[in-house]
Amino acid sequence: QVQLVESGGGLVQAGGSLRLSCAASGRTFSTYSMGWFRRAPGKAREFVAAISVTGARTSYADSVKGRFTISRDNSKNMVYLQMNGLKPEDTAVYYCVGGTYGSIKSTYEYWGQGTQVTVSS
């Protein structure tokens, strides 16, 4: 069992940066791929980024590629999402997830409660 708690969300101006953190509990953290999804107002939840168990593989949605960076520290049971060059369309609730590597929601069995990111124009 893994419990996930996100932090680091907030209000930022367009072009700014935020770093989201996800603290995971449970001894099995290092056996799960991790990722981030987001849900914008009135839209479906969408994939943002994923990182494999060792961190050797990462993948990103086209909309954030080159601006966002996912990383993990297995010694601290932490996952991060560095977000640079933020745009108003990045406004959403961001969810940390744990499960099987990929971009499909159903492959992730563990979800955090989410943290709000708001980007003003």
Side-chain angles (χ1 to χ4, degrees):
Q1 190 79 4
V2 175
Q3 292 186 325
L4 305 172
V5 179
E6 304 95 336
S7 62
L11 174 64
V12 64
Q13 288 189 328
S17 299
L18 280 176
R19 187 195 196 202
L20 304 184
S21 299
C22 173
S25 64
R27 299 179 183 177
T28 59
F29 169 79
S30 61
T31 67
Y32 291 99
S33 291
M34 302 297 293
W36 293 89
F37 280 72
R38 68 185 182 185
R39 181 163 62 190
K43 296 187 177 180
R45 208 170 288 195
E46 65 176 3
F47 170 74
V48 175
I51 188 166
S52 62
V53 169
T54 64
R57 284 188 300 165
T58 58
S59 61
Y60 297 91
D62 287 342
S63 58
V64 307
K65 203 170 292 184
R67 299 188 296 123
F68 290 11
T69 303
I70 188 171
S71 61
R72 67 187 296 166
D73 185 339
N74 287 346
S75 69
K76 297 181 179 179
N77 280 16
M78 295 292 294
V79 181
Y80 306 98
L81 185 69
Q82 178 66 44
M83 305 186 294
N84 299 327
L86 283 162
K87 305 175 181 180
E89 52 263 44
D90 293 319
T91 295
V93 176
Y94 284 72
Y95 299 89
C96 178
V97 298
T100 302
Y101 184 81
S103 61
I104 308 301
K105 284 185 295 184
S106 60
T107 65
Y108 292 96
E109 55 189 300
Y110 299 109
W111 290 72
Q113 293 299 305
T115 186
Q116 177 70 46
V117 172
T118 303
V119 185
S120 63
S121 57

